[in-house]
Short mmCIF file of all heavy atoms in Angstrom, two decimals:
data_model
loop_
_atom_site.label_atom_id
_atom_site.label_comp_id
_atom_site.label_asym_id
_atom_site.label_seq_id
_atom_site.Cartn_x
_atom_site.Cartn_y
_atom_site.Cartn_z
N ASP A 21 112.44 73.10 101.01
CA ASP A 21 113.65 72.35 100.50
C ASP A 21 114.11 72.88 99.14
O ASP A 21 113.34 73.51 98.46
CB ASP A 21 113.46 70.80 100.48
CG ASP A 21 113.33 70.33 101.92
OD1 ASP A 21 113.86 70.93 102.85
OD2 ASP A 21 112.83 69.17 102.10
N THR A 22 115.36 72.57 98.87
CA THR A 22 115.93 73.04 97.61
C THR A 22 116.40 71.94 96.64
O THR A 22 116.71 72.16 95.50
CB THR A 22 117.16 73.91 97.84
OG1 THR A 22 118.17 73.16 98.45
CG2 THR A 22 116.77 75.18 98.69
N GLY A 23 116.33 70.70 97.19
CA GLY A 23 116.81 69.62 96.39
C GLY A 23 118.34 69.62 96.46
O GLY A 23 118.98 70.37 97.13
N GLY A 24 118.94 68.74 95.72
CA GLY A 24 120.46 68.67 95.70
C GLY A 24 120.87 67.18 95.59
O GLY A 24 120.08 66.29 95.61
N LYS A 25 122.19 67.07 95.56
CA LYS A 25 122.71 65.67 95.57
C LYS A 25 123.95 65.72 96.34
O LYS A 25 124.63 66.73 96.51
CB LYS A 25 122.91 65.18 94.14
CG LYS A 25 123.88 65.99 93.32
CD LYS A 25 123.98 65.48 91.94
CE LYS A 25 124.84 66.40 91.08
NZ LYS A 25 124.99 65.98 89.73
N GLU A 26 124.34 64.56 96.82
CA GLU A 26 125.51 64.34 97.64
C GLU A 26 126.72 64.61 96.80
O GLU A 26 126.87 64.04 95.67
CB GLU A 26 125.55 62.96 98.22
CG GLU A 26 126.48 62.71 99.40
CD GLU A 26 126.00 63.49 100.66
OE1 GLU A 26 124.80 63.41 100.94
OE2 GLU A 26 126.85 63.99 101.34
N VAL A 27 127.65 65.45 97.27
CA VAL A 27 128.89 65.71 96.60
C VAL A 27 129.98 64.89 97.21
O VAL A 27 130.23 65.04 98.43
CB VAL A 27 129.22 67.21 96.60
CG1 VAL A 27 130.53 67.48 95.86
CG2 VAL A 27 128.09 68.02 95.98
N LYS A 28 130.65 64.13 96.41
CA LYS A 28 131.77 63.29 96.93
C LYS A 28 132.98 64.23 97.28
O LYS A 28 133.14 65.20 96.64
CB LYS A 28 132.10 62.18 95.97
CG LYS A 28 131.02 61.12 95.71
CD LYS A 28 131.42 60.22 94.64
CE LYS A 28 130.15 59.34 94.40
NZ LYS A 28 130.27 58.56 93.22
N THR A 29 133.74 63.75 98.23
CA THR A 29 134.97 64.50 98.60
C THR A 29 135.83 64.77 97.44
O THR A 29 136.10 63.84 96.62
CB THR A 29 135.75 63.75 99.69
OG1 THR A 29 134.83 63.38 100.68
CG2 THR A 29 136.89 64.58 100.25
N GLY A 30 136.23 66.08 97.23
CA GLY A 30 137.08 66.42 96.16
C GLY A 30 136.38 66.85 94.92
O GLY A 30 136.91 67.46 94.04
N ASN A 31 135.04 66.55 94.81
CA ASN A 31 134.25 66.96 93.61
C ASN A 31 133.61 68.30 93.91
O ASN A 31 133.37 68.72 95.08
CB ASN A 31 133.12 66.02 93.34
CG ASN A 31 133.63 64.71 92.76
OD1 ASN A 31 134.84 64.55 92.46
ND2 ASN A 31 132.76 63.70 92.70
N ILE A 32 133.40 69.05 92.85
CA ILE A 32 132.72 70.39 93.02
C ILE A 32 131.26 70.19 92.58
O ILE A 32 130.98 69.68 91.54
CB ILE A 32 133.42 71.43 92.10
CG1 ILE A 32 134.83 71.65 92.61
CG2 ILE A 32 132.71 72.75 92.18
CD1 ILE A 32 135.71 72.46 91.69
N ASP A 33 130.33 70.72 93.41
CA ASP A 33 128.93 70.57 93.07
C ASP A 33 128.66 71.70 91.94
O ASP A 33 129.01 72.78 92.02
CB ASP A 33 128.04 70.94 94.30
CG ASP A 33 126.59 70.64 94.07
OD1 ASP A 33 126.25 70.06 92.99
OD2 ASP A 33 125.84 70.83 95.03
N ASN A 34 127.98 71.15 90.92
CA ASN A 34 127.75 72.01 89.71
C ASN A 34 126.34 72.65 89.81
O ASN A 34 126.02 73.50 89.01
CB ASN A 34 127.86 71.19 88.48
CG ASN A 34 127.01 70.00 88.41
OD1 ASN A 34 126.10 69.79 89.26
ND2 ASN A 34 127.26 69.11 87.51
N HIS A 35 125.56 72.29 90.78
CA HIS A 35 124.22 72.91 91.02
C HIS A 35 123.30 72.80 89.79
O HIS A 35 122.60 73.76 89.48
CB HIS A 35 124.37 74.36 91.50
CG HIS A 35 125.01 74.48 92.87
ND1 HIS A 35 124.43 74.05 94.06
CD2 HIS A 35 126.21 74.98 93.20
CE1 HIS A 35 125.25 74.26 95.04
NE2 HIS A 35 126.37 74.81 94.54
N ASN A 36 123.36 71.75 89.09
CA ASN A 36 122.59 71.62 87.83
C ASN A 36 121.06 71.67 88.13
O ASN A 36 120.33 72.11 87.32
CB ASN A 36 122.93 70.29 87.14
CG ASN A 36 124.21 70.46 86.30
OD1 ASN A 36 124.61 71.51 85.97
ND2 ASN A 36 124.82 69.30 85.98
N ILE A 37 120.69 71.13 89.27
CA ILE A 37 119.25 71.10 89.58
C ILE A 37 118.69 72.50 89.65
O ILE A 37 117.74 72.90 89.09
CB ILE A 37 118.95 70.27 90.90
CG1 ILE A 37 119.36 68.80 90.68
CG2 ILE A 37 117.57 70.42 91.40
CD1 ILE A 37 119.40 67.97 91.92
N ALA A 38 119.40 73.32 90.46
CA ALA A 38 118.94 74.73 90.61
C ALA A 38 119.11 75.50 89.26
O ALA A 38 118.27 76.22 88.89
CB ALA A 38 119.68 75.49 91.76
N LYS A 39 120.25 75.27 88.65
CA LYS A 39 120.60 76.07 87.50
C LYS A 39 119.66 75.77 86.28
O LYS A 39 119.23 76.65 85.56
CB LYS A 39 122.01 75.74 87.00
CG LYS A 39 122.55 76.57 85.93
CD LYS A 39 123.94 76.15 85.50
CE LYS A 39 124.98 76.28 86.61
NZ LYS A 39 126.35 75.87 86.12
N TYR A 40 119.26 74.51 86.11
CA TYR A 40 118.51 74.11 85.01
C TYR A 40 117.02 73.81 85.27
O TYR A 40 116.21 73.64 84.29
CB TYR A 40 119.17 72.93 84.23
CG TYR A 40 120.54 73.27 83.79
CD1 TYR A 40 121.68 72.65 84.30
CD2 TYR A 40 120.68 74.21 82.71
CE1 TYR A 40 122.90 73.01 83.79
CE2 TYR A 40 121.98 74.56 82.27
CZ TYR A 40 123.11 73.92 82.83
OH TYR A 40 124.28 74.29 82.34
N HIS A 41 116.62 73.71 86.46
CA HIS A 41 115.23 73.32 86.76
C HIS A 41 114.58 74.40 87.66
O HIS A 41 113.55 74.97 87.28
CB HIS A 41 115.15 71.99 87.47
CG HIS A 41 115.61 70.89 86.62
ND1 HIS A 41 114.99 70.46 85.48
CD2 HIS A 41 116.73 70.02 86.69
CE1 HIS A 41 115.62 69.47 84.92
NE2 HIS A 41 116.68 69.22 85.64
N ILE A 42 115.17 74.66 88.85
CA ILE A 42 114.47 75.55 89.79
C ILE A 42 114.49 77.02 89.35
O ILE A 42 113.42 77.63 89.26
CB ILE A 42 115.11 75.32 91.22
CG1 ILE A 42 114.89 73.92 91.69
CG2 ILE A 42 114.54 76.38 92.20
CD1 ILE A 42 115.54 73.59 93.01
N ILE A 43 115.66 77.57 89.02
CA ILE A 43 115.69 78.99 88.74
C ILE A 43 114.94 79.29 87.48
O ILE A 43 114.24 80.31 87.45
CB ILE A 43 117.24 79.46 88.59
CG1 ILE A 43 118.00 79.28 89.99
CG2 ILE A 43 117.33 80.85 88.13
CD1 ILE A 43 117.42 80.14 91.14
N PRO A 44 115.06 78.48 86.40
CA PRO A 44 114.30 78.81 85.19
C PRO A 44 112.80 78.76 85.52
O PRO A 44 112.05 79.51 84.92
CB PRO A 44 114.73 77.74 84.21
CG PRO A 44 116.03 77.36 84.59
CD PRO A 44 116.06 77.45 86.11
N THR A 45 112.29 77.84 86.35
CA THR A 45 110.91 77.74 86.70
C THR A 45 110.48 78.97 87.44
O THR A 45 109.44 79.56 87.22
CB THR A 45 110.55 76.47 87.48
OG1 THR A 45 111.01 75.31 86.72
CG2 THR A 45 109.14 76.39 87.84
N LEU A 46 111.30 79.41 88.33
CA LEU A 46 110.97 80.65 89.22
C LEU A 46 110.91 81.84 88.22
O LEU A 46 110.00 82.65 88.34
CB LEU A 46 112.04 80.85 90.29
CG LEU A 46 112.07 79.84 91.36
CD1 LEU A 46 113.22 80.11 92.32
CD2 LEU A 46 110.79 79.65 92.06
N LYS A 47 111.87 81.93 87.23
CA LYS A 47 111.83 83.05 86.33
C LYS A 47 110.54 82.98 85.43
O LYS A 47 109.95 84.03 85.21
CB LYS A 47 113.11 83.04 85.46
CG LYS A 47 114.26 83.53 86.20
CD LYS A 47 115.49 83.57 85.27
CE LYS A 47 116.70 84.04 86.02
NZ LYS A 47 117.90 84.09 85.15
N LYS A 48 110.25 81.80 85.03
CA LYS A 48 109.02 81.65 84.20
C LYS A 48 107.80 82.07 84.94
O LYS A 48 106.90 82.68 84.34
CB LYS A 48 108.89 80.20 83.75
CG LYS A 48 107.69 79.87 82.87
CD LYS A 48 107.68 78.46 82.51
CE LYS A 48 106.51 78.10 81.67
NZ LYS A 48 106.37 76.70 81.36
N LYS A 49 107.80 81.83 86.23
CA LYS A 49 106.57 82.23 87.08
C LYS A 49 106.73 83.66 87.58
O LYS A 49 105.95 84.10 88.37
CB LYS A 49 106.43 81.26 88.25
CG LYS A 49 106.02 79.90 87.83
CD LYS A 49 105.95 78.98 89.04
CE LYS A 49 105.17 77.71 88.73
NZ LYS A 49 103.73 77.93 88.56
N ARG A 50 107.84 84.31 87.11
CA ARG A 50 108.13 85.72 87.49
C ARG A 50 108.27 85.92 89.03
O ARG A 50 107.90 86.91 89.53
CB ARG A 50 107.03 86.67 86.93
CG ARG A 50 106.92 86.55 85.44
CD ARG A 50 105.99 87.51 84.85
NE ARG A 50 106.59 88.84 85.04
CZ ARG A 50 106.02 89.88 84.47
NH1 ARG A 50 104.95 89.81 83.80
NH2 ARG A 50 106.59 91.16 84.58
N ILE A 51 108.91 84.90 89.62
CA ILE A 51 109.24 84.96 91.01
C ILE A 51 110.55 85.52 91.24
O ILE A 51 111.53 84.94 90.72
CB ILE A 51 109.13 83.52 91.72
CG1 ILE A 51 107.66 83.04 91.63
CG2 ILE A 51 109.59 83.59 93.13
CD1 ILE A 51 107.50 81.63 92.08
N THR A 52 110.66 86.70 91.91
CA THR A 52 111.97 87.40 92.07
C THR A 52 112.42 87.22 93.52
O THR A 52 113.55 87.66 93.82
CB THR A 52 111.78 88.85 91.71
OG1 THR A 52 110.78 89.41 92.52
CG2 THR A 52 111.48 89.04 90.25
N LYS A 53 111.62 86.69 94.43
CA LYS A 53 111.99 86.60 95.86
C LYS A 53 111.27 85.41 96.41
O LYS A 53 110.25 85.02 95.96
CB LYS A 53 111.78 87.86 96.64
CG LYS A 53 110.26 88.11 96.82
CD LYS A 53 110.03 89.33 97.71
CE LYS A 53 108.62 89.74 97.74
NZ LYS A 53 107.57 88.77 97.71
N ILE A 54 111.86 84.78 97.39
CA ILE A 54 111.25 83.75 98.17
C ILE A 54 111.05 84.34 99.61
O ILE A 54 112.04 84.67 100.28
CB ILE A 54 112.15 82.50 98.22
CG1 ILE A 54 112.35 81.97 96.81
CG2 ILE A 54 111.55 81.42 99.20
CD1 ILE A 54 113.29 80.78 96.74
N ASP A 55 109.78 84.49 100.00
CA ASP A 55 109.45 85.06 101.28
C ASP A 55 109.89 84.13 102.50
O ASP A 55 110.43 84.61 103.42
CB ASP A 55 107.98 85.36 101.39
CG ASP A 55 107.63 86.42 100.38
OD1 ASP A 55 108.15 87.57 100.40
OD2 ASP A 55 106.72 86.15 99.49
N HIS A 56 109.63 82.86 102.30
CA HIS A 56 109.93 81.90 103.40
C HIS A 56 110.50 80.58 102.73
O HIS A 56 109.95 80.00 101.86
CB HIS A 56 108.69 81.51 104.08
CG HIS A 56 107.91 82.66 104.61
ND1 HIS A 56 108.23 83.33 105.80
CD2 HIS A 56 106.77 83.28 104.11
CE1 HIS A 56 107.33 84.32 105.94
NE2 HIS A 56 106.50 84.31 105.01
N LEU A 57 111.71 80.32 103.15
CA LEU A 57 112.38 79.08 102.71
C LEU A 57 112.51 78.10 103.87
O LEU A 57 113.11 78.49 104.89
CB LEU A 57 113.77 79.32 102.05
CG LEU A 57 114.57 78.14 101.68
CD1 LEU A 57 113.79 77.24 100.68
CD2 LEU A 57 115.91 78.44 101.09
N ILE A 58 111.92 76.98 103.81
CA ILE A 58 111.90 76.01 104.90
C ILE A 58 112.71 74.81 104.53
O ILE A 58 112.52 74.21 103.44
CB ILE A 58 110.44 75.51 105.25
CG1 ILE A 58 109.55 76.67 105.57
CG2 ILE A 58 110.46 74.46 106.23
CD1 ILE A 58 108.06 76.37 105.43
N ILE A 59 113.80 74.56 105.30
CA ILE A 59 114.64 73.44 105.05
C ILE A 59 114.29 72.39 106.10
O ILE A 59 114.44 72.64 107.31
CB ILE A 59 116.15 73.78 105.18
CG1 ILE A 59 116.49 74.98 104.16
CG2 ILE A 59 116.99 72.57 104.91
CD1 ILE A 59 116.35 74.58 102.72
N THR A 60 113.78 71.18 105.70
CA THR A 60 113.24 70.25 106.67
C THR A 60 114.31 69.59 107.43
O THR A 60 114.21 69.30 108.66
CB THR A 60 112.46 69.19 105.93
OG1 THR A 60 113.23 68.58 104.89
CG2 THR A 60 111.14 69.80 105.33
#
């Protein structure tokens, strides 16, 4: 899973969760690829 939040009609998703939490953590761990992404 990737996390996320419900976007109301007319609003634009800003992807703050990925931008400020997930991607920085992946960079910190030096992860440059995801071999398997499972969306439940």
Side-chain angles (χ1 to χ4, degrees):
D21 290 338
T22 63
K25 60 184 175 183
E26 197 71 40
V27 179
K28 296 176 183 163
T29 308
N31 290 350
I32 297 173
D33 192 359
N34 56 16
H35 296 292
N36 281 340
I37 294 168
K39 189 185 299 183
Y40 297 113
H41 297 293
I42 296 174
I43 298 297
T45 302
L46 296 177
K47 286 182 179 181
K48 181 179 177 184
K49 292 179 165 287
R50 300 184 74 174
I51 296 173
T52 58
K53 67 177 173 34
I54 297 172
D55 296 300
H56 307 279
L57 175 58
I58 302 165
I59 303 295
T60 56

